[in-house]
Amino acid sequence: MSHAVKDLAVAGLVVLAAAACAAPAPPRSVAATTPPATPTGAAALPAPTGTHPVGATTLYLKDTSRPDPWVPDVKARELMVTLWYPAQAGEGRRAPYMTAKESELTLKGKEVTGVPYDVLSRTRTNAVEDAKPAGRKSGLPLVVLSPGFTMPRSTLTALGEELASRGYVAAGVDHTYENYATTFPDGRVAECVACDSDTDPGFGAKVADVRAADVSFVLDQLTGPHAKWEGSSLIDPSEIAMAGHSIGGAGAVAAMLKDARVRAGIDMDGTTYARIPKSGLSRPFLFLGSAGHQPGGRDNSWDRDWKLLTGWKRWLVLPGADHQSFTDVPLLAGAVGVAVPGGLSPARSVEITRAYVRAFLDRHLRHEPQPLLDEPSARYPEVRFCTPGATCR
């Protein structure tokens, strides 16, 4: 198994890509070896494109029904979740991207040097912190976002803000002890215990299973009579999806197999581990990957699972993308003074990711036709439609 969590194949921010549990890394390219440039200072995320003002809030959730799977002495699983949601218009403080300590531990964990360790915490977001939620009762579909291994939930903020601006509630989950730093409300910081076992046999399957359990618990806490968020009554509990990057994408498959509430799933460039039964998985699923995930490539998990996806499905590949192109990481490159590998600009990679994720969710949670998903688009010529045994078009 190739879990190159600590394989710092390229310098600087490139290692922020969660190589663990993803497709095997492609050969080092010219772009990947480009010398770092002068850091530009704190990054600013692109504005979301929808019509709704965006709010963001943080929830602390504690699952007393199970001990922590990585630290058994901790008798309850603790999770931090960021919610992005449509909000009432108004002024307020921008939601923080991450804490200074989380920035420091993430950069140290990835061996990024030469910049202030708090630089990621100064990333400018677009959401208003703790803004009042807006919407009608049971009117907002819910999308769970799961980041790559070692990565914080904040690296999916640009996608979360976009979905909220389009009328979704997006829940970004930190899977505790699987990333370099998770800060709890009392100031405790949980570091990456799972990083010490990433080469163990069965590691990927365990991570996917843990994430599925985390997601089911989060759904329990966001829907139903005992929901923990003030805006929970706005969520439509019958319209729930999950999108994950890298091992978070593997978690989407696992969560769908475990919990029928997850009606649709997206895997963004992640090797899959949960085994789909021979009877198949009939709910909608989207594979969205970089060149390493073309049919017949080095990672055969998508080829294996494609045969068992018996409902609506698409396999889309961006040959010019890098593993982290589906996250905020390219947007942060300038802040730490490194080149972005791959052939897409940061702005373009975000635009494409937002467009296809949004189209998938609009089709399967809002049940609206989406021609973008039916055939290659002149607007996004970088995206190829793939089918095993045929040439991507």
Side-chain angles (χ1 to χ4, degrees), residues 125-190:
T125 69
N126 299 283
V128 174
E129 185 175 25
D130 296 329
K132 189 170 182 60
R136 59 179 176 81
K137 186 175 180 180
S138 300
L140 304 179
L142 172 63
V143 184
V144 178
L145 302 179
S146 182
F149 189 66
T150 77
M151 305 301 287
R153 66 192 189 276
S154 56
T155 52
L156 296 174
T157 297
L159 179 57
E161 291 182 340
E162 171 70 9
L163 295 177
S165 80
R166 297 283 182 157
Y168 291 88
V169 175
V173 183
D174 257 1
H175 302 279
T176 313
Y177 301 114
E178 295 178 26
N179 66 331
Y180 285 118
T182 297
T183 304
F184 296 119
D186 61 6
R188 289 176 297 129
V189 178

Side-chain angles (χ1 to χ4, degrees), residues 260-278:
R261 291 176 293 182
V262 185
R263 295 175 55 87
I266 302 173
D267 179 352
M268 297 183 289
D269 214 42
T271 297
T272 56
Y273 293 97
R275 292 306 177 96
I276 300 173
K278 291 183 178 179

Side-chain angles (χ1 to χ4, degrees), residues 298-357:
R298 285 163 292 175
D299 174 22
N300 67 358
S301 66
W302 289 15
D303 296 82
R304 178 197 67 213
D305 289 350
W306 182 258
K307 303 171 186 176
L308 298 169
L309 295 172
T310 58
W312 187 102
K313 59 186 177 181
R314 293 290 185 273
W315 184 332
L316 307 181
V317 168
L318 285 73
D322 187 73
H323 181 53
Q324 70 264 44
S325 294
F326 310 96
T327 75
D328 294 352
V329 169
L331 300 169
L332 306 176
V336 295
V338 299
V340 178
L344 296 177
S345 70
R348 187 63 171 169
S349 64
V350 170
E351 180 184 1
I352 292 172
T353 300
R354 284 174 165 181
Y356 281 88
V357 170

Side-chain angles (χ1 to χ4, degrees), residues 227-251:
K228 298 296 191 293
W229 178 46
E230 64 168 320
S232 285
S233 64
L234 305 179
I235 294 174
D236 183 348
S238 68
E239 301 293 356
I240 296 173
M242 179 175 173
H245 173 249
S246 195
I247 194 67

